[in-house]
Amino acid sequence: MLGSSFVEPADEDFLRTFYQNLADRPLEPQNPWYVPIYSGPASSNADPVQRLARGMRWTPLESAQLFSGFRGTGKSTELRRLRLLLEQQGFKVVLCDMKNYLNLSTPIDISDFLISIAGALSDALAEDEELLGEDVAERGYWVRAVDFMKRTQVNLGNLQLAAQIEDASESLKIGLRQDPTFKQILQEHMKGHLGGLADDVRMFMAECVKAVRRKHGDHRNLVVLFDSIEQIRGSSVNDAEVFSSVETLFVGHSDKLKFQGMHAVYTVPPWLKIRSPGVSKLFDSSFLLPCVKVRQQDGKRFEAGLDVLRTIVTKRGDWQQLFAGQEDFDHVLLQTGGYLRDLFRALQNMLMSAADRGSMPIDREAIELELSELRNDYLPISIADARWLRKVARSHEAELPEHGELPELSRYFDTHLLLCYRNGSEWYDLHPLIREAVDRVVKREQGKKADS
Amino acid sequence: MSQEPTFLPSLETERAATRLERHLEWHKGFWLAYVFTISPPQAHILQERVGAKLRGQGRKQRVLRPQTPQALEAVLSDVLGAPRADCVWVESVRGPGSSGPENATWCDAWTSLVLRANERRELLRDGLGGLVLVAEPSLKGAIRDAGPDLWSVRQFVFELPPSERVQRGSDALRETIIRADGRSTAPFVDRELLDTDMRLVSDAVVEQDPITRAKIEEKLAMRLASAGRHRDALDALSGLVEFYRALAEEHPDEYLPDLARTRGLRGHALAELDEHQEALRAAQEALDAYRELVEGRPDEFLPDFARSLDVLGARLSNLGRHEDALRATQEAVDAYRKLNERWPKALFLHEVARALDNLGIRLSKLGKREEALRVTQEALEAYRGLAEQRPDAFLPDLAIALNNLGLRLSDLGRPEEALQAAQEAVDTVRGLAEQRPEVFLPNLAMTMGALGSVHATAERPADALDAIAEGLRLILPLAAHPSHPLGTLAINLARDLRQVARAAKLSVPEDLVSLLDQLLGDQPLGT
């Protein structure tokens, strides 16, 4: 569209609808807007969801796999696709959102993690009429856990004092989720009983598998997707401790996270593979969802990735009405680095800009203004951050200097200062919007040093 | 050079409000916005605009302004425990001057709140229409890092400068904007788009409810004012004042604030049109309304009351009623001091400093030069402290205070000190202009002009000529367009240049001769 025209009421409808279509929400795979990002040439034809499903089909009896994704790369959508795919292939799939069971801001320990995942599965099976619709082994896991603690004489104050075991199990559930002190006491007390607890959880998980098979037939394998574990993170006070606890959990206790007859998928933070490159080998497989690649490592445009993004946006609205030409649209795609949430946010703001200005298509100045607003979200960048980020930009490696710096690296991923791409193996790059700011900070710092 | 505050929201606030209003029309489902500002008034303006929009849609806004870190930490339970709200506004802004160990406590409280909100974001999605978190800019990084999931689903991040106000120049230097935080662009309004807006709005507002229509018209009036179309702005504002007057008579609690605000805006438009008597009347009416409001709701309206006193002082001064102006400005200073004492961490120190600076001008006009110098120095000290903590926000104000100190010292016949202050003002603005030329070059030109005046008083005509000429050259590329807002500044600098040259029998620099002819023609000196 070459000429510029004023926004008429009909166009306002177009802008509004396009804006609404870009709202952030996970998609079911059947949704007409869904675009298979990770199954085509844009992802080197290495679809992590297909691979996860294949891993389960090909691994006899049980498996434990890791699934990782950066925020806004479509992890929730892809997990939904995995669930659909597996269900179509005859699996019985349970999705456990672990943020309802874990305290995501305190260190995690294998004992409370085991209790939490068993409890989460127990609740999910009991709640889902189609799947099971009743407590496993009549009482469910929470009551069983309290029993275990009483048997092993774990003194947990209120748990012990509770008159009814149901009250105690509710206290346990809430305590794990909301009370760091309770969790700490539990962790201390369970240290001498870890072997027993792990066996008890294994027994319970086996009961779950059997219960599902009893209802649906022996050929129905149970898959449990433990989601949101990747969101565990500390605060400035305890981040190192929390990161270390997650590493210990998956590296030191991987054997306790595999259950007979069950395919388990754990969502883990993306930094786990960087900090512990060997972690993948401890599990049956490990996959990471990268951003959609828009440039190669050498900076050249990656047309397959741009094509995917164009398709994604086209399904939501006619970008050709908004932009004067593909060059402008591609500029937005390149500047948002294949990070979908930023792309959608930028487009939404540009739609508003068109409405504000009362004309379409929007000009380059308006595009730059909106991109600049988005850039501001990432600023300011400290000198130390800029130095590290610039090193990553040059080497495309994480450049983790030592383990103590992991919270910083995690923060770069969490806040998308760093984006991850894949050509066979993963590589990293700066968010395109901050590239100039990073260069500027580093150069200014170098200039100051030279002056002094 | 004198200063005169206005009630206008900053451009960023206006833009944020426009975006949020449209978003509320377009969006469905949960949304999240972060607002970073050190200015409670700007946050208040934005919150009111959002509230008004929601009211127009028959929806409700819930506003939470916790006063202690503990209360802030506990906000989430309050939000999630209450019935579903269409928009929850959580604001904790202590304002400029906040520092010290207490800062860490507030930072911890925000971090804790965001951490928990991050974990409970699904509950927030289910339980709320929208959530707006309003915090100080220094907390942006901590808030972003503490809740990355929440941050990644944000719809908007707005950064609002402390305030926007028109800096009125000396007799020679008028109408240039210095933005308080130095982050924003000049209040440029595309006239073609404005014409389109005017045309489209008249049709678009027909179907709106009267309150929404009034808000749209007010927005348009402010845009007209920014475009220099003060007569059109005045017409629109006069209608709005009448509209709100009628409403306020029946529902004073709800609409008296709107009446007070539009009266103030109308006064501003009148002042711009040099209708000083009417402007004074409007300022007095705005003050009366705020006086009534402050009696019933002092916490809420004392800042507006103080500001309207400050404006009244400026209006009286414009009419030569210097004694009355002094009284009003002194009362404004007292009100701001009271606010500053009442609120934690010198929340209103910035406003105290500005009012003191204005008081210095009023005293100077009455020939009370020693006293003028004393209060200007006090203003300067306050700005120095503020600029040390937040150079991005307060260096422009520091430059103005230095500029005024130079003039006060010059009045007292202390040329060396005056030059030192004026030079420091120039150096400060030059540093800002290097970073943001599009914002600060006009201000640099203005301070160069003021430095020239001080040189002239110190009987250094050659230096005066150099300084004013340099100032003029800085804005030449912009001021070459007669319709450009900097045209007036260029004319005033040109006039000063010619005056200094003629008085000292010096030649106007060659490169500026034809420009002076173009700008001034045969205008006699002093006009």
Side-chain angles (χ1 to χ4, degrees), chain A residues 225-262:
Chain A
L225 310 177
F226 293 107
D227 192 13
S228 302
I229 303 165
E230 82 285 359
Q231 291 171 24
I232 296 175
R233 82 175 58 75
S235 62
S236 55
V237 180
N238 67 350
D239 50 10
E241 202 186 344
V242 173
F243 287 128
S244 175
S245 74
V246 174
E247 186 188 19
T248 305
L249 175 68
F250 285 98
V251 177
H253 297 286
S254 58
D255 59 317
K256 299 179 189 68
L257 301 176
K258 296 168 183 173
F259 303 104
Q260 192 182 355
M262 181 195 295

Side-chain angles (χ1 to χ4, degrees), chain B residues 241-490:
Chain B
V241 167
E242 287 313 310
F243 173 74
Y244 283 123
R245 193 198 306 276
L247 285 174
E249 274 172 17
E250 285 189 27
H251 308 283
D253 282 353
E254 205 165 344
Y255 294 108
L256 193 55
D258 294 310
L259 177 60
R261 185 184 64 254
T262 45
R263 278 174 170 172
L265 289 171
R266 181 172 174 272
H268 179 71
L270 285 161
E272 290 294 340
L273 291 164
D274 289 333
E275 295 182 20
H276 296 299
Q277 282 292 356
E278 278 299 305
L280 173 62
R281 199 197 321 252
Q284 186 64 59
E285 286 173 351
L287 178 65
D288 292 345
Y290 280 123
R291 203 184 286 278
E292 195 178 328
L293 285 162
V294 85
E295 278 170 17
R297 291 140 80 180
D299 283 347
E300 203 174 337
F301 288 104
L302 192 52
D304 295 309
F305 175 65
R307 215 162 291 129
S308 57
L309 277 165
D310 206 6
V311 171
L312 184 70
R315 302 281 179 262
L316 288 161
S317 179
N318 282 340
L319 286 165
R321 290 170 59 180
H322 298 304
E323 289 285 352
D324 293 336
L326 177 63
R327 262 194 300 278
T329 309
Q330 181 63 61
E331 201 183 341
V333 169
D334 295 343
Y336 278 129
R337 283 198 202 276
K338 197 161 131 191
L339 271 165
N340 199 43
E341 283 161 18
R342 183 182 297 184
W343 286 72
K345 292 294 160 196
L347 182 66
F348 285 88
L349 184 59
H350 175 215
E351 306 288 354
V352 173
R354 192 186 60 200
L356 278 169
D357 211 10
N358 289 340
L359 186 63
I361 295 162
R362 309 278 173 267
L363 287 162
S364 172
K365 290 253 169 81
L366 286 165
K368 300 181 176 180
R369 292 176 177 175
E370 290 291 346
E371 215 177 327
L373 177 63
R374 188 179 52 75
V375 295
T376 307
Q377 279 169 331
E378 190 185 341
L380 180 69
E381 275 168 36
Y383 277 132
R384 272 201 204 281
L386 289 163
E388 268 174 31
Q389 290 164 28
R390 288 285 317 280
D392 55 328
F394 294 108
L395 271 180
D397 293 301
L398 177 64
I400 294 169
L402 281 163
N403 201 78
N404 288 346
L405 182 69
L407 296 172
R408 297 292 85 79
L409 287 162
S410 190
D411 289 346
L412 280 165
R414 291 159 66 174
E416 290 306 322
E417 292 163 86
L419 280 170
Q420 200 178 339
Q423 187 63 55
E424 193 184 341
V426 168
D427 294 344
T428 305
V429 182
R430 201 189 293 280
L432 294 164
E434 278 171 13
Q435 293 168 30
R436 298 285 309 276
E438 75 280 13
V439 176
F440 288 108
L441 266 188
N443 301 347
L444 182 56
M446 192 167 58
T447 48
M448 294 297 304
L451 177 64
S453 298
V454 175
H455 274 305
T457 311
E459 297 183 355
R460 296 177 176 183
D463 292 335
L465 208 65
D466 283 352
I468 300 169
E470 189 188 335
L472 194 52
R473 286 189 193 103
L474 284 171
I475 55 165
L476 274 186
L478 303 169
H481 303 285
S483 61
H484 195 279
L486 290 176
T488 311
L489 175 62

Side-chain angles (χ1 to χ4, degrees), chain A residues 140-152:
Chain A
Y141 182 71
W142 297 107
V143 173
R144 182 188 180 110
V146 173
D147 259 355
F148 174 83
M149 287 169 201
K150 286 190 171 175
R151 274 203 318 276
T152 49

Side-chain angles (χ1 to χ4, degrees), chain A residues 6-7 12 15-16 19-20 23-24 71 97 99 103-105 177-178 231 233-235 339 341-342 345 348-349 351-353 355-357 369-370 373-374 376-380 411 414-416, chain B residues 15 18-20 22-28 108 111 115 118-123 125 140 144-159 183 192-193 196-197 199-200 223:
Chain A
F6 288 121
V7 173
E12 169 106 2
L15 293 172
R16 183 193 292 113
Y19 185 91
Q20 289 169 351
D24 180 59
R71 280 176 189 76
D97 193 345
K99 67 172 173 288
N103 186 322
L104 299 173
S105 52
R177 168 83 179 78
Q178 292 177 359
Q231 291 171 24
R233 82 175 58 75
S235 62
Y339 171 37
R341 279 188 181 146
D342 264 359
R345 230 183 322 261
Q348 283 188 313
N349 285 334
L351 290 161
M352 281 211 169
S353 176
D356 290 345
R357 290 165 183 249
L369 182 67
E370 297 306 333
E373 290 288 327
L374 193 56
N376 275 341
D377 294 1
Y378 292 95
L379 303 180
R411 181 166 59 80
D414 282 346
T415 53
H416 298 93
Chain B
R15 183 171 181 275
T18 309
R19 285 277 152 117
L20 281 172
R22 195 186 300 281
H23 174 75
L24 289 169
E25 278 173 25
W26 285 6
H27 190 73
K28 290 174 182 167
D108 288 347
T111 306
L115 260 172
N118 195 61
E119 287 173 13
R120 291 160 178 75
R121 61 188 181 283
E122 295 305 326
L123 291 174
R125 268 180 194 272
K140 181 178 168 188
R144 185 176 57 198
D145 296 347
D149 299 288
L150 211 57
W151 183 265
S152 81
V153 297
R154 71 197 181 276
Q155 198 80 35
F156 299 106
V157 178
F158 297 119
E159 297 192 35
R183 292 172 52 83
E192 192 183 325
L193 284 179
T196 314
D197 285 347
R199 204 174 53 247
L200 294 176
R223 207 170 292 172

Side-chain angles (χ1 to χ4, degrees), chain A residues 353-381:
Chain A
S353 176
D356 290 345
R357 290 165 183 249
S359 70
M360 280 199 302
I362 56 169
D363 57 23
R364 195 60 176 249
E365 186 195 344
I367 293 170
E368 292 300 344
L369 182 67
E370 297 306 333
L371 288 173
S372 156
E373 290 288 327
L374 193 56
R375 182 179 298 111
N376 275 341
D377 294 1
Y378 292 95
L379 303 180
I381 294 171

